[in-house]
Amino acid sequence: MKILKFGGSSIGHKNGFEQILKIAQQESENCIIVVSACGKTTDNLLKTAMLAEMQNTMYKTVLEDISTYHIDLIRTHLDPQNAATSIGFVREKLNEIELLLESIYNLQEFSNKTYDNLLSYGEIISSTLLNTYLNENGIVSQWVDSRTIINTDDEFSNAKIDFGTTDQNIQQTFQDNQNYVLGGFIASNDNGVTTTLGRGGSDYTASVIAAALDVKELVIWTDVNGMMTADPRLVKNAISLPELSYNEALELCHFGAKVIYPPTIIPAMKKEIPILVKSTFSPEKSGTLISKNIDNTRSVSGLTSISDVCSITIEGSGMVGKPGFTKKFLGILSDRGINVIMVTQASSEHGMTMIISPEDLDTSLKSLNEELKYDLLEKIIDPIKFETELSILAIVGQNMKNYHGIAGKTFHVLGKNAINIRAIAQGSSENNITTVIAKSDLKKALNVLHEEFFEEDIKKVNLFIVGIGTVGGKLIEQIKQQYDYLAENNQLKINIIAIANSKKMLFNQEGINLDTWQEDLPNGATMELEKFVDQIVDSNLGNSIFVDNTANYEVADYYEKCLSNGIGVVTCNKIASSASYERYRNLKALSKKHKAPYLFETNVGAGLPIINTLNDLVKSGDKIRGIKAVLSGSLNFIMNNFKEGTRFVDIVKQAQELGFTEPDPRIDLSGLDVKRKILILLRESGYKYELEDIKSNSFLGEEYFETQSVEEFIQLLEKNGNEFDALRQATEAEGKKLKIVASFQDGEAVVGLEKASHDAPYYQLDGSDNIVLFYTDRYVDQPLIIRGAGAGADVTASGVFADIMRAVS
Ligand code: ADP
Ligand code: ASP
Ligand code: MG
């Protein structure tokens, strides 16, 4: 004899009956088939009662839907000849339900006793219909009314089984030479009044029967391929677990893995009956085997969660050292039948936190305040505190005790992702580590921990990109080209979750399609920075990075918000790091505090590793004493190309078109851009400088920068072309070249035009190249030189890409 249990998700599916038939046909032994109500029938019945209790006549519509749903099931599956009888049967049951609902409506009362009576119809109907269907299709089976065999106490809605009577009934009812179909979940008390075993209780019925008959195997057929490393609805990458011990399964279910009703494990475990969890829709897959002796060396078997819980915290110095408080608090709740899901106590004994279901909060607070009123009055305990909107997340594994650092790893990963832990508990069995976190963090927490424990080899990074012009466009192109390579060789998956330009923004939690983003973006929502950033925060994904490819002040204004929410910032925009020193320090501090990277290598020398080299020097104890640098690829390009036969204005326009200058070339030509760069280098070297501290001797007069628009500026350059020619000719006559050089020496930083002689290291600097010379305590006479392409969309995009990679490493 074998026990097969099919859940609502199986029997209520459009192919459910057929699949169950196929599975039953393949069994060589006779089976006892235990079923739940079809689909969401139990939930819907509950809905009708709640509406009726509030005197809302909408209950009739919901009841009508339940009727239509079942009649459709009959019409699609049953032989037309039997269909009429079955429809008649369903209508009769629905009439009984209607009478029940009318009385709930009139009395405005929905007792637990009525609850059990009402909900039992789901299983009575489903089991009767399935039994008819199986018999029509060659499986000879007998329908059994579970209420006549499963005997319970009077605790309606959550009745406890009387095993003495129940086991006897089971052994007398079921014979080896016969198949049976019956509804799970429902039972009756000594007076024959219907009771139920708790939501999800069909699994339990099946296990109780399996244990009473001491069968070889219990199979729980559901809609997923066994128990998984996490709830697949919350963690997309969850994988099936081939085997679990009873204890592991118990812990996973206790803390929320809905796939099995927790009490189910016990009867099977006592008789050492293996439980197989399989998918009704992929029966060929092996599913999960839950048994006593499992052979695994995994440190963690699965993650599980209860999404909605509350905490009650009782603290008070009067409790210290006085035994009995814990027992007293728990006793108060237990007397009210309240299930305490988790308890944590500070080692100082100064406080205790109990985690309960939200529906128990009011009663718990009322009874604790009432029964502890003298302790409160005498200030032995402080006023009782509570918190709502919390979730429990448990990490389960029977081998956890044999591994060091699981807790450390857990807290590190949660901390790195800005997830605050409200309470922690580790069971003495060391089979689980349980944390309480904000409900809004649950999905993120599950996913980052899942990545850490089950996808160790694959890292994911989620990008939110603002600015998709020259640099941003190239970056997306590079990510697209590198995607497969990185996934395969670096085990890194880069998901671009959002992109935006100044007009539109596009979000896709599953990742933007990199083949069609250009066509898709115009159909996105209107770009509003505030909303864009709010959406990043709300997405609450792990390893999130805000990528700023603009030169925009407003975009940079959101870095603080991102970093404060644990979202990394990678930017080629210099505005923030060259703003006031206070702001720069604050951004660095936020980055440190929230463990969110703030990287801006491309602020100086595009993709050249200037800031990183500097950081390495400083970190290893070196001190920067002097800097000499040609830091503007754009100015260098302009100066290098301004030759005999060219016009200065044309070269500026060309540099602008090639993306070598900032969108507004005045920022380059005024020297402001270079000032910002040397400022950033000085700050990264540990010097507290402001922009005003950097001297500038621009070769262009004030009037150029008082122009109202870029066009006006270009016109002025054109008008004064002769002056530039004269300057060039004079420099060439001396055998020198014009360079805009930034220098720092003896505490003084200057940016200005220099006529470089041929022995200057930057005399030969080509095209848009940059050069930086660092003079340090270690590099005294021979400076450390970094030289290479320092401008252009491609190299800047590569630099941004490199920072992204650094952020996830
Ligand atoms: P049934 O109708 O078969 O009783 P349930 O809906 O009660 O099915 O339970 C199956 C569901 O449990 C799955 O569809 C899945 O979404 C959810 N679930 C939650 N945690 C897990 C887990 N760790 N492994 C597998 N499924 C899980
Ligand atoms: N139908 C019941 C419920 O939805 C029992 C079960 O599905 O196991 O809770
Ligand atoms: Mg279930």
Side-chain angles (χ1 to χ4, degrees):
M1 201 68 155
K2 220 171 175 181
I3 316 295
L4 312 182
K5 181 263 167 176
F6 292 92
S9 55
S10 297
I11 185 171
H13 189 272
K14 64 180 193 318
N15 303 325
F17 278 37
E18 282 83 353
Q19 288 299 116
I20 296 174
L21 175 67
K22 268 191 215 157
I23 291 166
Q25 280 168 338
Q26 274 163 18
E27 286 299 343
S28 49
E29 303 170 53
N30 282 321
C31 299
I32 299 173
I33 298 179
V34 180
V35 289
S36 302
C38 297
K40 298 249 171 283
T41 301
T42 311
D43 287 337
N44 291 335
L45 284 170
L46 204 51
K47 213 190 278 172
T48 57
M50 310 256 225
L51 289 167
E53 192 189 14
M54 291 187 295
Q55 297 213 312
N56 183 338
T57 50
M58 276 296 285
Y59 81 82
K60 294 187 179 175
T61 318
V62 182
L63 187 60
E64 200 46 47
D65 292 345
I66 297 176
S67 164
T68 316
Y69 171 71
H70 283 95
I71 291 171
D72 280 354
L73 271 179
I74 296 172
R75 293 217 165 102
T76 15
H77 297 294
L78 297 187
D79 192 319
Q81 278 171 349
N82 290 332
T85 322
S86 292
I87 290 173
F89 166 77
V90 169
R91 291 234 158 94
E92 185 192 314
K93 296 294 152 201
L94 286 162
N95 287 340
E96 290 171 25
I97 297 174
E98 196 160 9
L99 287 176
L100 260 180
L101 291 171
E102 274 168 18
S103 77
I104 296 173
Y105 183 92
N106 291 327
L107 298 171
Q108 291 180 57
E109 192 188 297
F110 181 39
S111 67
N112 282 347
K113 192 171 176 185
T114 314
Y115 170 104
D116 284 358
N117 188 5
L118 178 75
L119 297 200
S120 69
Y121 283 94
E123 268 70 11
I124 292 171
I125 297 174
S126 65
S127 57
T128 308
L129 298 185
L130 181 71
N131 188 54
T132 310
Y133 173 80
L134 291 178
N135 279 293
E136 271 179 16
N137 288 281
I139 301 273
V140 181
S141 62
Q142 187 187 324
W143 182 78
V144 172
D145 185 343
S146 345
R147 293 170 300 181
T148 60
I149 50 167
I150 312 285
N151 178 244
T152 69
D153 65 7
D154 286 338
E155 199 185 326
F156 294 104
S157 85
N158 199 11
K160 303 289 167 293
I161 293 181
D162 173 343
F163 282 97
T165 330
T166 302
D167 285 357
Q168 214 176 8
N169 290 344
I170 293 171
Q171 284 149 8
Q172 280 166 6
T173 308
F174 299 108
Q175 307 303 319
D176 272 350
N177 58 356
Q178 170 87 49
N179 291 301
Y180 298 90
V181 177
L182 71 158
F185 176 56
I186 58 176
S188 71
N189 67 9
D190 287 344
N191 301 325
V193 180
T194 302
T195 56
T196 63
L197 305 176
R199 290 301 309 269
S202 294
D203 301 324
Y204 189 35
T205 310
S207 179
V208 169
I209 297 174
L213 298 177
D214 212 354
V215 297
K216 283 202 296 296
E217 193 172 69
L218 160 65
V219 193
I220 307 266
W221 292 93
T222 182
D223 62 345
V224 283
N225 179 33
M227 292 199 68
M228 307 177 87
T229 45
D231 184 343
R233 286 167 302 184
L234 296 172
V235 178
K236 242 178 43 200
N237 295 335
I239 41 174
S240 296
L241 292 158
E243 52 175 7
L244 281 172
S245 69
Y246 289 120
N247 279 328
E248 285 176 314
L250 201 55
E251 304 259 3
L252 280 171
C253 300
H254 175 69
F255 287 111
K258 189 189 170 217
V259 62
I260 299 181
Y261 182 52
T264 308
I265 313 290
I266 310 289
M269 181 164 89
K270 279 191 183 155
K271 289 280 178 81
E272 294 187 16
I273 299 168
I275 306 173
L276 197 55
V277 185
K278 281 177 70 88
S279 164
T280 308
F281 307 99
S282 305
E284 70 292 348
K285 293 196 177 143
S286 47
T288 304
L289 178 67
I290 303 169
S291 61
K292 186 180 171 207
N293 298 316
I294 61 152
D295 176 27
N296 86 51
T297 50
R298 283 183 314 252
S299 58
V300 175
S301 294
L303 306 177
T304 181
S305 57
I306 306 176
S307 68
D308 204 1
V309 294
C310 302
S311 70
I312 295 184
T313 300
I314 308 180
E315 285 172 322
S317 44
M319 289 160 59
V320 182
K322 296 211 182 99
F325 274 103
T326 313
K327 195 172 158 211
K328 185 169 173 182
F329 303 152
L330 292 173
I332 295 170
L333 298 186
S334 137
D335 288 348
R336 304 290 185 295
I338 289 161
N339 175 32
V340 177
I341 307 168
M342 172 182 156
V343 178
T344 60
Q345 187 167 25
S347 58
S348 64
E349 295 180 52
H350 179 241
M352 168 176 173
T353 298
M354 293 169 287
I355 306 295
I356 53 167
S357 287
E359 61 264 28
D360 292 331
L361 183 65
D362 282 346
T363 321
S364 304
L365 287 174
K366 236 187 246 155
S367 40
L368 286 168
N369 276 309
E370 174 58 30
E371 304 231 358
L372 299 172
K373 65 176 175 244
Y374 296 114
D375 297 304
L376 284 161
L377 267 174
E378 287 167 28
K379 299 205 169 26
I380 293 172
I381 57 172
D382 302 336
I384 298 171
K385 289 189 254 175
F386 70 94
E387 224 183 317
T388 57
E389 300 285 304
L390 299 174
S391 294
I392 286 186
L393 191 165
I395 298 163
V396 174
Q398 71 169 20
N399 290 325
M400 222 179 238
K401 49 187 164 296
N402 304 327
Y403 287 82
H404 296 292
I406 306 288
K409 222 179 195 183
T410 305
F411 304 142
H412 171 75
V413 171
L414 294 180
K416 202 174 96 188
N417 285 285
I419 297 162
N420 202 359
I421 303 174
R422 311 290 173 89
I424 304 163
Q426 178 162 27
S428 52
S429 62
E430 286 191 53
N431 274 340
N432 78 68
I433 295 171
T434 310
T435 60
V436 178
I437 55 174
K439 192 176 167 186
S440 53
D441 282 333
L442 178 62
K443 193 167 177 194
K444 172 157 95 169
L446 281 169
N447 278 281
V448 291
L449 287 173
H450 196 269
E451 248 175 63
E452 183 69 29
F453 289 114
F454 302 103
E455 304 162 49
E456 278 142 290
D457 303 338
I458 296 190
K459 261 209 187 108
K460 269 179 269 141
V461 55
N462 298 303
L463 303 185
F464 300 82
I465 302 180
V466 179
I468 45 163
T470 44
V471 174
K474 290 277 181 212
L475 175 67
I476 297 175
E477 219 173 88
Q478 291 178 8
I479 291 174
K480 187 178 150 191
Q481 276 167 9
Q482 293 291 307
Y483 188 88
D484 289 339
Y485 178 86
L486 288 174
E488 205 166 298
N489 296 287
N490 293 34
Q491 278 71 42
L492 178 69
K493 271 195 188 163
I494 302 189
N495 289 330
I496 301 182
I497 306 290
I499 51 172
N501 58 17
S502 56
K503 297 186 190 69
K504 293 283 184 183
M505 57 185 189
L506 193 64
F507 269 82
N508 186 342
Q509 295 280 344
E510 307 304 321
I512 302 253
N513 182 337
L514 299 188
D515 291 322
T516 59
W517 67 271
Q518 270 140 321
E519 296 99 76
D520 299 339
L521 182 62
N523 303 322
T526 303
M527 171 59 167
E528 280 176 58
L529 262 167
E530 178 92 30
K531 282 196 182 145
F532 186 85
V533 175
D534 283 347
Q535 208 160 332
I536 308 178
V537 176
D538 292 346
S539 304
N540 209 3
L541 297 168
N543 289 332
S544 289
I545 301 178
F546 178 75
V547 184
D548 177 6
N549 296 312
T550 72
N552 193 292
Y553 279 89
E554 285 80 35
V555 179
D557 278 346
Y558 284 89
Y559 295 175
E560 281 87 349
K561 184 165 181 178
C562 288
L563 294 171
S564 304
N565 284 285
I567 298 154
V569 174
V570 166
T571 177
C572 60
N573 184 349
K574 290 180 264 302
I575 304 284
S577 284
S578 60
S580 71
Y581 183 77
E582 194 189 334
R583 179 159 184 220
Y584 162 82
R585 276 305 324 152
N586 183 42
L587 285 164
K588 296 282 245 184
L590 285 174
S591 159
K592 202 167 167 192
K593 178 170 173 204
H594 299 281
K595 299 189 177 64
Y598 173 48
L599 299 174
F600 43 88
E601 174 62 87
T602 48
N603 280 191
V604 182
L608 291 178
I610 297 174
I611 294 183
N612 275 290
T613 308
L614 180 55
N615 292 158
D616 287 345
L617 289 175
V618 175
K619 248 189 265 164
S620 62
D622 205 356
K623 178 89 189 151
I624 311 297
R625 302 287 173 192
I627 300 173
K628 204 133 184 85
V630 172
L631 286 175
S632 171
S634 22
L635 289 180
N636 206 34
F637 175 89
I638 292 168
M639 296 309 184
N640 278 342
N641 286 284
F642 181 36
K643 295 188 186 116
E644 182 78 52
T646 62
R647 294 193 317 156
F648 189 68
V649 63
D650 291 334
I651 308 292
V652 172
K653 281 201 275 188
Q654 194 190 351
Q656 190 192 14
E657 276 155 24
L658 290 170
F660 284 164
T661 63
E662 294 287 317
D664 181 347
R666 286 175 295 183
I667 295 178
D668 296 278
L669 285 156
S670 65
L672 176 62
D673 188 56
V674 180
K675 274 170 78 177
R676 284 180 175 152
K677 288 175 179 168
I678 184 93
L679 176 67
I680 294 170
L681 291 185
L682 289 172
R683 287 176 171 177
E684 290 288 289
S685 306
Y687 294 102
K688 190 178 165 188
Y689 269 68
E690 298 288 356
L691 199 62
E692 305 80 70
D693 299 332
I694 296 164
K695 299 207 177 80
S696 159
N697 31 40
S698 170
F699 70 107
L700 296 176
E702 289 283 302
E703 68 278 17
Y704 285 91
F705 307 105
E706 281 159 6
T707 48
Q708 296 304 308
S709 63
V710 174
E711 291 72 37
E712 204 185 306
F713 172 72
I714 297 282
Q715 277 164 16
L716 198 59
L717 288 181
E718 188 153 15
K719 189 171 140 226
N720 297 336
N722 290 343
E723 288 175 22
F724 303 120
D725 286 337
L727 177 66
R728 178 181 56 75
Q729 280 159 9
T731 315
E732 281 171 3
E734 290 173 43
K736 294 182 175 172
K737 285 186 181 177
L738 287 172
K739 299 284 168 192
I740 310 286
V741 180
S743 66
F744 169 67
Q745 204 179 359
D746 303 326
E748 193 178 76
V750 187
V751 172
L753 185 71
E754 198 179 296
K755 290 179 181 169
S757 56
H758 69 277
D759 54 354
Y762 31 85
Y763 179 82
Q764 282 299 0
L765 213 55
D766 295 329
S768 64
D769 281 6
N770 276 197
I771 187 167
V772 184
L773 294 80
F774 287 120
Y775 296 87
T776 74
D777 283 352
R778 286 185 210 139
Y779 294 90
V780 184
D781 300 323
Q782 288 300 322
L784 174 70
I785 302 177
I786 303 163
R787 174 182 182 153
D794 250 323
V795 282
T796 308
S798 315
V800 173
F801 200 166
D803 268 351
I804 293 171
M805 299 290 287
R806 218 167 275 134
V808 282
S809 63

